[in-house]
Amino acid sequence: AQSVTQPDIHITVSEGASLELRCNYSYGATPYLFWYVQSPGQGLQLLLKYFSGDTLVQGIKGFEAEFKRSQSSFNLRKPSVHWSDAAEYFCAVGPSGSARQLTFGSGTQLTVLP
Amino acid sequence: EAGVAQSPRYKIIEKRQSVAFWCNPISGHATLYWYQQILGQGPKLLIQFQNNGVVDDSQLPKDRFSAERLKGVDSTLKIQPAKLEDSAVYLCASRRGPGTLSLGGRNEQFFGPGTRLTVL
């Protein structure tokens, strides 16, 4: 069965600092990987996704993520965080060849200090 | 393009009462999902529809939860009777689907704002 682990429940960074949110997955084959962001009272918005090819994926709002098969990781990064990035971030995995079902991690809450 | 619509946004009920949530997916999206998101956890899939048929309801507590998508467009999720542990945000998502993923994002899931249910 597929699973996703986000080891950091809560991260606090200062505005302008760099950010890295960790995601580790467990899946028997090549997974499809996603990062979503959820602001209070809002639904989930897709930041980026990895299907195949280049392991460094660019997303919206200046985010990027790198797929590392050897480490079963798909960490999310941003070089300079903005106050508006404060939200909850979810990593998700879908079975290769289909987005029909996603398994989500438990999320990382990001606080941005002025 | 309008997004996924859900109503109500908030609902407070007492245990053993019934409640229903409504979802209208993005126009033309064949696949519809209901997720349950308990506070502090990621969303968990409850049921997946393909048009008006159920694809997967293996994680739906069928003794109390039911869902339908009669005309293959909007959908209703019902809880009867509710328990305290049903307190959560219920998210609806839709996908153009079916078929495999493409880099063009044809099969991206789009989420609604959710319904926050509190069971007292």
Side-chain angles (χ1 to χ4, degrees):
Chain A
Q2 60 202 45
S3 66
V4 178
T5 301
Q6 294 181 248
D8 304 305
I9 297 173
H10 195 178
I11 285 184
T12 301
V13 298
S14 298
E15 191 169 19
S18 63
L19 172 69
E20 183 169 28
L21 302 182
R22 296 184 291 165
C23 172
N24 293 97
Y25 68 89
S26 174
Y27 186 67
T30 300
Y32 283 11
L33 295 159
F34 307 80
W35 274 100
Y36 285 85
V37 61
Q38 186 177 37
S39 298
Q42 303 296 316
L44 283 83
Q45 181 184 21
L46 182 67
L47 286 175
L48 49 78
K49 57 196 173 190
Y50 171 77
F51 295 166
S52 65
D54 193 348
T55 56
L56 185 62
V57 180
Q58 301 297 321
I60 62 171
K61 303 185 180 185
F63 285 93
E64 66 177 27
E66 186 171 12
F67 171 58
K68 293 185 177 180
R69 184 188 302 274
S70 61
Q71 299 177 20
S72 297
S73 69
F74 188 57
N75 294 348
L76 182 71
R77 301 194 295 248
K78 187 170 184 178
S80 178
V81 170
H82 188 262
W83 64 266
S84 61
D85 294 324
E88 189 151 23
Y89 292 79
F90 292 93
C91 182
V93 61
S96 181
S98 169
R100 288 194 292 272
Q101 294 189 6
L102 295 177
T103 298
F104 286 85
S106 55
T108 297
Q109 182 68 47
L110 174 65
T111 297
V112 180
L113 300 177
Chain B
E1 174 177 73
V4 177
Q6 289 187 249
S7 68
R9 292 295 308 276
Y10 305 92
K11 189 74 176 179
I12 300 174
I13 62 172
E14 295 188 349
K15 60 182 179 183
R16 290 188 289 273
Q17 285 187 323
S18 302
V19 65
F21 313 128
W22 174 82
C23 171
N24 190 21
I26 293 173
S27 177
H29 281 198
T31 306
L32 185 147
Y33 308 80
W34 283 102
Y35 289 87
Q36 179 191 57
Q37 186 178 17
I38 294 173
L39 185 65
Q41 299 180 18
K44 183 187 81 172
L45 180 68
L46 291 176
I47 188 168
Q48 176 188 344
F49 290 94
Q50 182 73 42
N51 296 311
N52 61 349
V54 175
V55 174
D56 186 348
D57 62 357
S58 58
Q59 298 192 84
L60 187 73
K62 299 181 187 63
D63 58 332
R64 298 184 299 106
F65 286 66
S66 65
E68 60 184 14
R69 193 185 184 200
L70 293 176
K71 296 184 178 180
V73 181
D74 56 353
S75 175
T76 303
L77 176 69
K78 296 179 181 177
I79 308 175
Q80 181 179 4
K83 293 184 175 181
L84 297 177
E85 59 261 36
D86 298 331
S87 293
V89 175
Y90 290 85
L91 295 166
C92 179
S94 71
R95 179 173 69 90
R96 185 173 300 279
T100 58
L101 284 168
S102 69
L103 290 175
R106 180 175 180 270
N107 282 297
E108 174 185 341
Q109 289 189 29
F110 293 87
F111 285 81
T115 296
R116 181 176 297 278
L117 173 67
T118 301
V119 182
L120 302 176

